[in-house]
């Protein structure tokens, strides 16, 4: 009797966890996926963790395919990580499918007209800048990298995230030292008088 009850509870738990992914935010789904992958070797034997991972991945992927810009960014993060690994082992990262997918995801999220959290749009521009700078999923372009870092800075600045604004302006100027828009914004921020 105990075994039947435990088996029933186990399957109810799996069904409940599968239903709960619909209620999770994109960040929570990404957290489940990242947590699982951080120790995939040990987690693969845990049926509940494996099921939660699969359901979370499927849900995030579905949301990204339906055009949810936040989900697109988190899906892009996963492909970006794979892309970086491809670069480490010397693969062609301009045409690598994970790199191209990550680049497309960040570009779509950065330029979407849909509602998106401001820090997510800024992150998308930041990752675009890094991809242009390193030639990941796109031909390398220091000017395009600088422009993307500048756009990230503008988005961070709108919401008074001074640290990330300055970091991205520095990246823009390092990528393309003559990028005047970045220099002008940096000068305005540094010379802004405190109220």
């Amino acid at each position: 009797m105990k075994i039947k009850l435990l088996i029933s509870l186990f399957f109810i738990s799996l069904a409940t966890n599968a239903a709960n992914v619909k209620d999770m935010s994109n960040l929570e789904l990404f957290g489940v996926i990242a947590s699982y992958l951080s120790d995939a070797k040990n987690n693969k034997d845990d049926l509940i963790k494996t099921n939660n991972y699969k359901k979370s991945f499927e849900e995030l992927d579905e949301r990204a395919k339906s055009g949810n810009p936040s989900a697109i960014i988190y899906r892009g993060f996963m492909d970006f990580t794979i892309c970086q690994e491809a670069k480490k082992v010397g693969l062609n990262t301009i045409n690598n499918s994970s790199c191209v997918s990550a680049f497309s995801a960040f570009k779509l999220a950065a330029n979407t007209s849909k509602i998106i959290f401001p820090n997510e749009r800024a992150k998308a521009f930041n990752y675009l800048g890094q991809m242009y700078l390193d030639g990941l999923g796109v031909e390398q372009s220091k000017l395009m990298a600088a422009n993307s870092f500048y756009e990230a800075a503008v988005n961070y600045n709108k919401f008074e995230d001074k640290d990330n604004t300055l970091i991205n302006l520095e990246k823009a100027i390092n990528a393309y030292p003559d990028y005047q828009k970045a220099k002008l914004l940096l000068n305005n921020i540094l010379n802004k008088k405190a109220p």
Side-chain angles (χ1 to χ4, degrees):
M1 183 72 160
K2 268 187 175 180
I3 293 176
K4 285 184 181 181
L5 179 61
L6 288 174
I7 291 172
S8 295
L9 288 173
F10 174 75
F11 284 110
I12 289 170
S13 170
L14 288 179
T16 302
N17 287 332
N20 286 342
V21 296
K22 299 280 186 203
D23 298 329
M24 294 171 76
S25 71
N26 295 321
L27 179 59
E28 290 169 324
L29 292 171
F30 181 71
V32 169
I33 295 164
S35 175
Y36 180 87
L37 292 175
S38 69
D39 194 15
K41 185 177 178 181
N42 290 324
N43 289 333
K44 70 179 180 171
D45 294 328
D46 186 327
L47 190 56
I48 293 174
K49 285 184 180 179
T50 301
N51 187 53
N52 285 339
Y53 159 73
K54 287 179 182 177
K55 293 294 182 187
S56 295
F57 186 88
E58 290 168 0
E59 179 64 20
L60 187 65
D61 206 40
E62 173 100 14
R63 290 179 191 181
K65 287 177 182 173
S66 72
N68 178 312
S70 176
I72 291 169
I73 290 172
Y74 290 111
R75 188 65 183 88
F77 290 159
M78 289 186 277
D79 287 332
F80 183 77
T81 302
I82 295 167
C83 178
Q84 287 182 310
E85 292 302 315
K87 182 178 180 161
K88 285 179 186 176
V89 297
L91 296 178
N92 175 339
T93 56
I94 293 173
N95 299 317
N96 178 283
S97 61
S98 292
C99 298
V100 170
S101 179
F103 180 82
S104 296
F106 295 137
K107 187 167 184 154
L108 183 63
N111 296 307
T112 187
S113 59
K114 293 181 179 181
I115 295 172
I116 186 171
F117 289 118
N119 66 321
E120 289 178 337
R121 186 181 305 276
K123 285 179 186 177
F125 274 117
N126 180 300
Y127 277 92
L128 276 177
Q130 197 60 53
M131 295 191 86
Y132 275 119
L133 192 62
D134 294 338
L136 305 175
V138 66
E139 290 288 334
Q140 185 178 30
S141 170
K142 291 181 179 184
L143 179 59
M144 293 301 291
N147 187 62
S148 296
F149 290 135
Y150 169 77
E151 290 297 334
V154 166
N155 278 278
Y156 280 124
N157 192 45
K158 285 180 187 175
F159 300 94
E160 300 179 9
D161 184 342
K162 190 173 181 178
D163 290 340
N164 279 315
T165 299
L166 293 174
I167 287 168
N168 278 279
L169 287 173
E170 181 180 15
K171 287 180 180 181
I173 294 167
N174 284 339
Y176 199 83
D178 292 331
Y179 198 76
Q180 293 304 313
K181 291 194 297 187
K183 288 181 175 183
L184 182 62
L185 180 56
L186 179 61
N187 188 43
N188 288 340
I189 290 169
L190 294 177
N191 293 318
K192 189 177 185 178
K193 294 182 180 170

